[in-house]
Amino acid sequence: MARSSKDSHLKFPFLDLPEDIGRIIFEIAASLDSWTGAACALVSKEVKTWAETVLYRCIRIRQRKTLEYLSRTIRDPSSTKPPGFFASRVKLLAFMGSGSGIGGDVDSLTILKACQGVESLHLWSNIWVLFRERKNFQKFITSPSITLSPRRLFIRDVLSNRRDLSHFGHAIFRNLTHLEVDMSNKWEWDTLRELNRLTHLSLEVDSEMDSWTVSRMVTQFPNSLKIIIFWAPEYPLE
């Protein structure tokens, strides 16, 4: 990062720093918050690539406008982002919308298909507000040819409404080390043993599940499992 003579009035010779140190500084600044990150991306084309590595590493979708903006960016044929940008940058993708009308499955599936390199996937909070067409999403998530292969998956009420789909043999489960799932009677718990890389399991307790089912479920845990958490939502007292 060479400094020109016209910049000699600067109190701190930032441009004289080695490029790797300059990059670290901007990446730390971009990680502070989204506004600072966006400001860093405006400094120069080079700094923009550094900042975007941080800005797109973790994407949490809480509002409809975020969903639509990201989907539009992915589909934009005039985008300056290189092919495979989202596949290589996005490591955590979380759909966290809980308000009505947040979006539709077209935008959501566009994002999922673009973020093929995601390591942590959250499909957790009121997910059908995001995916209005449940069948389209279920078809995608259970496809044998799906290239999404997260190591961490947080999933609720996505497959457990259909017994023919409620098993852990789907390709998207194959590389999981961490899984959080609703503890529904409809899951085929004997297929859980197929997850031979699973080390952490978190289960949301179903109030209607009997002790016999739970006891039987425990026998299906894979040998790789190290930590298991049973938790229950907090319900107001009547």
Side-chain angles (χ1 to χ4, degrees):
M1 302 177 72
R3 182 174 57 148
S4 64
S5 58
K6 67 178 181 180
D7 296 321
S8 58
H9 65 283
L10 294 174
K11 293 182 179 180
F12 180 77
F14 182 80
L15 297 179
D16 287 343
L17 289 174
E19 182 177 300
D20 57 341
I21 295 179
R23 176 170 184 162
I24 291 172
I25 292 173
F26 274 108
E27 287 182 344
I28 292 175
S31 66
L32 295 176
D33 56 72
S34 58
W35 293 102
T36 304
C40 290
L42 298 176
V43 172
S44 69
K45 290 183 178 180
E46 184 177 30
V47 174
K48 181 182 179 181
T49 62
W50 301 343
E52 285 186 338
T53 299
V54 176
L55 289 172
Y56 286 94
R57 184 178 298 152
C58 300
I59 295 180
R60 296 177 175 86
I61 300 174
R62 296 182 175 89
Q63 302 177 37
R64 178 172 184 166
K65 62 181 181 180
T66 305
L67 184 81
E68 294 179 343
Y69 172 78
L70 184 57
S71 175
R72 188 166 59 249
T73 300
I74 292 171
R75 298 195 310 267
D76 185 2
S78 62
S79 174
T80 58
K81 291 178 174 53
F85 174 87
F86 291 95
S88 62
R89 297 294 197 284
V90 181
K91 299 305 177 185
L92 181 148
L93 178 60
F95 292 91
M96 304 169 69
S98 58
S100 62
I102 193 171
D105 68 318
V106 174
D107 289 326
S108 302
L109 289 178
T110 294
I111 295 169
L112 277 168
K113 291 175 182 178
C115 300
Q116 297 297 309
V118 69
E119 297 176 356
S120 183
L121 179 60
H122 300 233
L123 305 171
W124 196 243
S125 182
N126 200 1
I127 194 64
W128 300 121
V129 172
L130 288 165
F131 300 100
R132 293 174 180 168
E133 297 295 331
R134 181 180 295 211
K135 290 182 179 179
N136 289 348
F137 175 70
Q138 289 178 331
K139 181 179 180 180
F140 171 77
I141 211 73
T142 59
S143 170
S145 59
I146 191 172
T147 53
L148 274 174
S149 185
R151 291 186 298 106
R152 296 170 179 255
L153 180 63
F154 302 81
I155 190 168
R156 173 196 285 161
D157 190 33
V158 174
L159 301 176
S160 56
N161 72 307
R162 287 183 54 182
R163 188 169 293 277
D164 59 321
L165 297 179
S166 301
H167 62 82
F168 300 102
H170 300 299
I172 195 170
F173 293 108
R174 60 181 174 260
N175 289 320
L176 290 182
T177 59
H178 293 64
L179 174 64
E180 183 165 330
V181 67
D182 53 300
M183 197 170 166
S184 167
N185 277 314
K186 294 181 180 179
W187 281 106
E188 293 182 17
W189 292 105
D190 57 330
T191 61
L192 192 65
R193 67 177 67 178
E194 298 177 21
L195 308 185
N196 53 24
R197 298 184 181 184
L198 192 68
T199 58
H200 293 68
L201 177 63
S202 177
L203 297 169
E204 179 189 4
V205 177
D206 187 333
S207 59
E208 297 181 358
M209 184 168 285
D210 56 79
S211 58
W212 182 87
T213 302
V214 175
S215 300
R216 179 177 175 275
M217 182 194 308
V218 171
T219 65
Q220 309 302 324
F221 291 160
N223 293 331
S224 58
L225 197 63
K226 297 179 180 179
I227 296 176
I228 180 169
I229 298 172
F230 293 92
W231 65 278
E234 182 179 355
Y235 296 106
L237 297 176
E238 295 182 357

